[in-house]
Amino acid sequence: TSTFHSICLGSLCVETSHWHWETRPRMAEFTVKSTIISRYAFTTVSCNMVNSGSEAKEGTFEMQIPAAAFISNFTMIIGDRIYHGEVTAKVKKTSNEDKERDNKHSSPTDGGENGMETFKASGTIPRKTHAIFTLHYEELLQRRLGKYEYTVSIRPQQLVGRLRVEVNILENSGISSLEVLPLQNSKQRGIKKVIDDISPPPSTVIGQTKTLAKVTFSPSVVQQTQIARNGILGDFIIRYDVNRELSVGDVQILNGYFVHYFAPQDLPPLPKNVVFVLDSSASMVGAKLRQTKDALFTILKDLRPEDHFNIIGFANRIKVWQQDRLVPVTPNNIRDAKKYIHNISPTGGTNINEAVQTSAKLLNNYIAQNDIDARSVSLIIFLTDGRPTVGEMQSSKILSNTKEAIREKFCLFTIGIGNDVDYKLLERMSLENCGMMRRVQEDEDAAAQLKGFYDEIGTPLLSDIRVDYPKDSVEQVTQNLFPNYFNGSEIVIAGKLIERNSGKLHVEVTASNANKYILLKTDVAIDVPSKNDIRGSPGMEDGKETQNYAERAWSYLTIRELLTSWLKSDDSEEREHLMDKAKSLALTYNFITPFTSLKMKELQADLPKEGHASPSTEGTGERVQSLQGHKAPPGVPKQPDKQRIKISRTSADGDPHFVIDFPSSKLAVCFNIDGQPGDILRLVSDHNESGVTVNGQLIGAPAPPNGHKKQRTYFSTITVLSNKPARSYVEITPTKVILDDGERFILPCDRSATVGSSGLEVSILANSNVTVAIQGTISFVILIHQYKNPAPYQRNHLGFYISNSKGLSPQSHGLLGQFLYHEVKLTQDPLGGSPQLVSQNSTEEPNPRPVNMLKVKGRLVPVVWKQRKIYNGEQEVDCWFAKNNADKLIDGDYKDYLAAHPFDTGTSFGMANRL
């Protein structure tokens, strides 16, 4: 009897027979087992078919898999014969290379970022025999709109006796949300429909702990009948997200490979400069144009006040709404834009080239004239339903013209609507200009699909992101330079460790947020078995592949990047080079790609259990590096030395204990302030000159037993205000830092980070201190005191130290600021007689009988000698202590230094200027 007949993936098939039977075998079992570790998904689909008839029948196994996935294995067991899929290099056919590229990237139903591909295999099943088909594929889940989405197609095309889906998820950073959507049968799977019924499919069971989730779906035949009698149940979709914070992100290290996930949140959005380019040719008539208009009306409502925009309609001719400019988002401009869109009528052909040229020129001129490059994100959103029919019609020319017009100044995002689109052209236009392409089906929810795509790119949070690792620690790192980070998405980088025994990997992320720059750093421990070892986790015991998920994620990302570079390249030699690298890696990791194919071989010898062989993961293939120039040159030292922060002794720390350093007098003075909880003390006040004010808010705690105090007070919040060159403030607590210069920016204190804005820089050393530098001439260090197990009289609190006061004026005031430009002299009053000067170098306690006096601003203040520990006890200060809440030492008394609120700048001593 004939064995197997054909194997197809997408539009590529290998035919081995032409026999056909009208009847088909019964499907006894259809099971899907999936393991997702740190967003990397391993899926195994198994199908058991039974031919109970009296003659041979053809059994067909058909499975839709995500276009972004790579098949890693396929086996067929038919009776007692076993066929194993072997990944082999595809025979090179130079003349067909471009056609293949078109096949892979131009069909609206297959391929593409948001499409599905159909895997199909058939074989003859002898009478009274059963066949088992087993397919393995892998993918890295993409984060969109704040969620990862795992989709598995349940379309056995007949009712199945035993149907079961089991998905196990392990996320070490913790699963923050998880939902199972109703089964979906929409043609368009990239951007989901809005669904009224949000309950999971019947028989779904969800079990979850902090880091693990297990989802099963096992409908009985009756339940299957209620969903769909034809066995086409639809897509089973799990959406989830993980815990994250503003830091360098989550770095997973395992067996010599690392995967780095970066998805910050709680950042202020960047302003956008956006040009909407809409196809208004005759083919857009009817539902397509109506839905496009509906989507744009909604999108215009979502533009932010700081955004700027324009609209271009194109057919034979190009019509620009606002000539030679982008307009701000105001109610009048939005109203006029809606009117303009409403009046667009479909007519004529499709001049894609001129539409792109016009929009790129408009945006380039706007960027050049307004000097806004560093503070906002510029983009073109280009929508068409067809192919070029007017003007330049040659794809290669349109692509080169587009690249020349944009010149890497901004990104181009393309949307194809309907089935008559040159998707290859749109995909290359966006890929070559740092954008993305989306396909929108021509159905009743096209407007929602368009709005969904805009939502993905509508909130840019960071620009010019660069991720660095020490050059002598890593190699073969995937893309590490990114033009933009959009809210709800994720940046993923992977690489290979050179030195596994160093114990840690240093990671640095630099980026821009509006007019701020951000530097995030951390050291990640290498090979922490407890964190990354999945053995012993329920449902995570599958095979060798899952034990090497970091390595396989690296190979997956690297091959994907090589494919993208190959798709973008027009240089035949370069394409050949990229193809060879991708092919070599795909063969090493057993992935089916456009350059590799599946060849079925009958196995005669003893077989691995369950009739399939695990993909080989030994070795990593030849060194893979992209030729597209998206790698930043390595520029991070292996491990920067922790520099000791230079601080003066002038400070307010502890309960609060104040120290004033007088370097030219070679002595220090100290005093205590016994305030009330809730009081806000003005520490530095120089609002009128340097523009700087520092206020500290007190928190109360019970006094220790047997002490002389009734209560203790500590600084719970330090607020640094600056109004030059622009008004801004930094608010520091033991757990977080808020920087606000018109945009609010929140950083946790448990992660090292640096954020800079115009004239202001905030640096956090994790769980240790925060440095605030202003104009390069003023800097304050705020110590973070946190207790793991605080006593009743202890509170997490802050210490305030003046590190550099050069930029503060002689008119400075405040509890600390008033002494910055003054000197003191120590004298003795022997038993009340006439005072006489004593040595200024004296640090030893003098004869206790005379009274020691400080001469400050013409006042005499009695003092006693004390020793004080500052800076977490690391330094000891000999100081002269003024009693009674610094009576006579400070100008006025304690109440004169009370601020009305944390942002009170007080224009002069004793006077409050309320903001």
Side-chain angles (χ1 to χ4, degrees):
T1 57
S2 173
T3 53
F4 60 90
H5 295 155
S6 66
I7 294 173
C8 299
L9 176 57
S11 56
L12 305 171
C13 293
V14 179
E15 293 292 337
T16 57
S17 173
H18 302 285
W19 303 345
H20 185 69
W21 277 263
E22 291 300 318
T23 54
R24 58 180 179 174
R26 176 176 58 86
M27 194 176 294
E29 192 173 335
F30 180 89
T31 60
V32 178
K33 179 83 182 283
S34 175
T35 301
I36 302 169
I37 309 172
S38 296
R39 297 68 142 177
Y40 194 74
F42 299 87
T43 304
T44 300
V45 183
S46 188
C47 167
N48 190 337
M49 291 186 187
V50 178
N51 176 12
S52 50
S54 55
E55 57 184 31
K57 290 180 183 176
E58 181 180 325
T60 301
F61 170 70
E62 193 172 302
M63 183 72 189
Q64 288 188 340
I65 66 169
F70 287 146
I71 290 172
S72 58
N73 215 329
F74 177 64
T75 55
M76 296 193 296
I77 303 174
I78 301 176
D80 55 0
R81 302 176 75 170
I82 297 167
Y83 305 90
H84 170 64
E86 189 178 276
V87 177
T88 59
K90 200 171 275 184
V91 178
K92 202 181 334 182
K93 296 175 185 172
T94 312
S95 60
N96 289 334
E97 205 172 279
D98 280 328
K99 283 182 188 173
E100 187 180 301
R101 192 155 55 152
D102 290 357
N103 286 340
K104 180 71 181 164
H105 294 276
S106 63
S107 162
T109 51
D110 290 344
E113 239 181 278
N114 51 327
M116 299 289 273
E117 283 188 339
T118 302
F119 176 88
K120 194 172 181 180
S122 59
T124 303
I125 307 174
R127 58 189 286 277
K128 308 291 183 190
T129 305
H130 72 107
I132 299 170
F133 300 88
T134 307
L135 177 71
H136 301 255
Y137 62 88
E138 300 173 23
E139 63 184 310
L140 182 67
L141 302 183
Q142 270 192 311
R143 188 169 184 257
R144 285 187 190 158
L145 301 175
K147 305 279 183 186
Y148 302 102
E149 191 166 282
Y150 174 74
T151 301
V152 61
S153 171
I154 313 293
R155 292 174 171 83
Q157 305 194 29
Q158 57 175 284
L159 299 174
V160 181
R162 184 174 186 270
L163 191 155
R164 180 177 171 84
V165 177
E166 180 183 317
V167 181
N168 292 285
I169 303 170
L170 170 63
E171 293 287 351
N172 284 307
S173 48
I175 298 167
S176 61
S177 66
L178 186 143
E179 59 179 336
V180 178
L181 274 58
L183 291 164
Q184 290 192 31
N185 254 315
S186 164
K187 290 178 191 173
Q188 178 70 12
R189 293 179 189 86
I191 302 159
K192 301 297 175 210
K193 290 189 177 185
V194 178
I195 307 152
D196 296 328
D197 175 24
I198 55 164
S199 56
S203 80
T204 301
V205 178
I206 303 170
Q208 197 177 337
T209 65
K210 187 183 171 189
T211 57
L212 283 165
K214 182 174 183 174
V215 179
T216 58
F217 170 59
S218 49
S220 64
V221 174
V222 173
Q223 288 170 320
Q224 291 173 49
T225 309
Q226 290 164 350
I227 298 165
R229 288 180 176 273
N230 60 2
I232 301 176
L233 276 64
D235 290 329
F236 184 78
I237 301 167
I238 297 171
R239 276 190 194 151
Y240 75 94
D241 198 21
V242 300
N243 297 319
R244 64 187 84 246
E245 55 203 14
L246 179 63
S247 69
V248 298
D250 177 21
V251 183
Q252 299 276 326
I253 296 176
L254 188 68
N255 297 340
Y257 289 83
F258 73 88
V259 188
H260 182 179
Y261 305 92
F262 181 61
Q265 52 192 12
D266 297 329
L267 299 172
L270 292 170
K272 292 191 299 296
N273 312 303
V274 58
V275 180
F276 297 98
V277 186
L278 311 176
D279 188 339
S280 59
S281 61
S283 59
M284 286 287 286
V285 71
K288 278 192 280 195
L289 190 58
R290 190 185 69 248
Q291 299 235 22
T292 300
K293 289 179 176 183
D294 288 347
L296 268 168
F297 292 152
T298 312
I299 287 166
L300 288 174
K301 277 195 299 189
D302 284 356
L303 289 173
R304 296 184 181 82
E306 62 272 18
D307 293 341
H308 289 76
F309 73 106
N310 201 344
I311 299 158
I312 293 175
F314 73 95
N316 287 24
R317 289 181 299 143
I318 313 302
K319 295 175 184 173
V320 182
W321 171 49
Q322 296 285 342
Q323 288 297 329
D324 302 323
R325 64 184 185 139
L326 269 67
V327 298
V329 174
T330 64
N332 285 352
N333 283 340
I334 295 294
R335 182 199 63 209
D336 292 348
K338 286 182 175 178
K339 200 182 296 179
Y340 177 79
I341 292 166
H342 179 75
N343 291 332
I344 289 176
S345 56
T347 177
T350 309
N351 194 340
I352 286 177
N353 184 67
E354 199 181 333
V356 174
Q357 296 300 304
T358 305
S359 56
K361 186 179 176 184
L362 185 74
L363 201 45
N364 265 321
N365 289 344
Y366 179 76
I367 291 169
Q369 290 162 13
N370 292 274
D371 191 29
I372 48 80
D373 210 3
R375 294 182 288 107
S376 58
V377 166
S378 301
L379 45 109
I380 293 174
I381 297 177
F382 185 96
L383 180 142
T384 182
D385 74 329
R387 301 165 182 274
T389 60
V390 177
E392 180 60 65
M393 288 187 280
Q394 198 178 328
S395 290
S396 59
K397 198 82 177 107
I398 293 172
L399 288 166
S400 61
N401 289 346
T402 301
K403 213 168 182 179
E404 175 61 30
I406 290 175
R407 298 196 301 276
E408 298 185 352
K409 291 282 175 60
F410 47 84
C411 299
L412 170 65
F413 295 86
T414 57
I415 301 168
I417 183 166
N419 294 329
D420 191 36
V421 182
D422 186 343
Y423 281 108
K424 177 196 165 191
L425 174 63
L426 289 189
E427 185 167 30
R428 286 195 66 185
M429 279 169 65
S430 57
L431 281 177
E432 290 180 6
N433 297 284
C434 72
M436 296 185 287
M437 185 271 286
R438 283 288 184 276
R439 294 167 175 168
V440 171
Q441 290 301 114
E442 197 179 331
D443 60 16
E444 71 280 1
D445 71 334
Q449 295 172 41
L450 287 169
K451 178 64 171 61
F453 178 49
Y454 172 78
D455 287 345
E456 285 188 53
I457 59 175
T459 310
L461 298 185
L462 293 172
S463 59
D464 303 321
I465 303 103
R466 171 177 168 148
V467 186
D468 281 308
Y469 315 90
K471 60 183 176 184
D472 52 359
S473 295
V474 298
E475 62 181 354
Q476 300 177 43
V477 177
T478 58
Q479 180 180 347
N480 67 332
L481 270 179
F482 304 87
N484 300 302
Y485 167 74
F486 297 102
N487 190 38
S489 66
E490 184 171 60
I491 284 171
V492 186
I493 303 142
K496 191 175 178 183
L497 299 176
I498 295 173
E499 182 53 71
R500 292 199 203 187
N501 302 321
S502 61
K504 57 191 173 185
L505 172 66
H506 184 67
V507 183
E508 284 193 11
V509 179
T510 52
S512 299
N513 171 268
N515 55 345
K516 302 181 187 69
Y517 61 85
I518 299 167
L519 172 61
L520 306 169
K521 306 179 191 178
T522 197
D523 290 317
V524 183
I526 291 176
D527 279 342
V528 181
S530 59
K531 186 178 178 191
N532 294 317
D533 196 350
I534 58 167
R535 284 168 298 197
S537 302
M540 301 285 169
E541 308 85 4
D542 296 359
K544 188 165 67 172
E545 310 104 307
T546 49
Q547 300 293 336
N548 280 334
Y549 71 89
E551 182 180 351
R552 296 193 72 78
W554 166 80
S555 65
Y556 172 94
L557 270 178
T558 305
I559 294 170
R560 279 262 157 237
E561 280 185 15
L562 289 165
L563 289 173
T564 300
S565 301
W566 173 76
L567 181 67
K568 283 159 65 172
S569 176
D570 279 320
D571 183 299
S572 57
E573 198 174 314
E574 182 188 46
R575 279 232 312 275
E576 184 93 6
H577 189 51
L578 290 163
M579 182 174 73
D580 287 344
K581 286 188 169 187
K583 189 188 292 182
S584 169
L585 208 57
L587 290 170
T588 302
Y589 287 92
N590 229 59
F591 284 143
I592 298 179
T593 69
F595 312 130
T596 50
S597 58
L598 195 67
K599 192 174 180 183
M600 300 305 291
K601 283 191 174 179
E602 185 169 357
L603 296 182
Q604 306 296 342
D606 290 341
L607 295 158
K609 204 171 175 184
E610 291 190 25
H612 71 269
S614 294
S616 163
T617 54
E618 301 305 317
T620 60
E622 61 179 288
R623 186 178 172 117
V624 175
Q625 286 201 322
S626 168
L627 303 174
Q628 290 309 109
H630 59 213
K631 298 257 190 318
V636 180
K638 186 164 187 179
Q639 175 58 46
D641 296 329
K642 281 189 181 175
Q643 293 182 337
R644 177 57 195 267
I645 294 171
K646 178 184 170 294
I647 56 164
S648 82
R649 298 187 292 182
T650 300
S651 60
D653 204 344
D655 178 17
H657 299 323
F658 290 74
V659 175
I660 315 288
D661 194 21
F662 294 97
S664 59
S665 301
K666 295 183 180 163
L667 57 81
V669 178
C670 45
F671 59 92
N672 292 350
I673 292 290
D674 293 326
Q676 294 299 312
D679 281 355
I680 299 166
L681 306 184
R682 187 166 293 116
L683 303 175
V684 176
S685 179
D686 194 27
H687 180 75
N688 289 340
E689 302 299 325
S690 67
V692 173
T693 304
V694 182
N695 295 327
Q697 185 160 10
L698 296 176
I699 189 174
N706 308 319
H708 63 282
K709 289 187 175 183
K710 292 181 181 176
Q711 66 174 357
R712 281 185 161 194
T713 51
Y714 303 95
F715 285 120
S716 61
T717 306
I718 299 285
T719 308
V720 180
L721 302 113
S722 173
N723 72 340
K724 293 180 183 178
R727 182 176 293 184
S728 56
Y729 74 84
V730 182
E731 186 179 301
I732 298 139
T733 72
T735 56
K736 68 183 176 187
V737 175
I738 299 170
L739 167 60
D740 194 324
D741 59 353
E743 295 283 6
R744 193 173 163 88
F745 199 89
I746 303 172
L747 292 156
C749 288
D750 61 353
R751 297 293 173 121
S752 295
T754 302
V755 178
S757 183
S758 49
L760 184 68
E761 182 174 278
V762 179
S763 296
I764 302 171
L765 188 58
N767 300 314
S768 176
N769 61 61
V770 178
T771 301
V772 179
I774 301 166
Q775 301 296 337
T777 58
I778 301 167
S779 59
F780 307 120
V781 176
I782 294 91
L783 289 197
I784 301 165
H785 300 285
Q786 286 190 314
Y787 301 96
K788 284 185 179 173
N789 301 299
Y793 53 85
Q794 290 175 324
R795 294 286 184 272
N796 290 340
H797 65 281
L798 303 170
F800 174 75
Y801 292 75
I802 297 179
S803 174
N804 182 0
S805 59
K806 282 178 189 170
L808 293 170
S809 77
Q811 283 72 47
S812 296
H813 213 274
L815 286 167
L816 294 174
Q818 64 186 293
F819 299 108
L820 294 174
Y821 287 88
H822 289 276
E823 285 308 318
V824 296
K825 288 181 179 175
L826 184 68
T827 66
Q828 285 185 352
D829 184 358
L831 301 175
S834 60
Q836 62 189 51
L837 292 174
V838 297
S839 164
Q840 293 175 337
N841 290 312
S842 171
T843 55
E844 292 188 18
E845 187 172 6
N847 188 321
R849 290 180 66 195
V851 179
N852 294 301
M853 307 290 280
L854 274 182
K855 192 172 184 181
V856 185
K857 301 181 185 180
R859 300 187 292 266
L860 285 174
V861 185
V863 291
V864 296
W865 183 82
K866 263 198 176 186
Q867 277 193 323
R868 230 172 215 176
K869 287 188 175 179
I870 61 168
Y871 210 76
N872 282 329
E874 290 179 24
Q875 288 186 30
E876 198 164 63
V877 179
D878 300 314
C879 62
W880 294 97
F881 180 73
K883 297 181 180 179
N884 302 326
N885 258 7
D887 185 35
K888 294 184 183 174
L889 175 68
I890 59 174
D891 296 335
D893 65 19
Y894 164 75
K895 290 180 182 173
D896 294 317
Y897 296 88
L898 294 179
H901 51 76
F903 307 103
D904 184 353
T905 55
T907 51
S908 61
F909 171 57
M911 301 281 290
N913 172 32
R914 284 154 180 73
L915 280 173

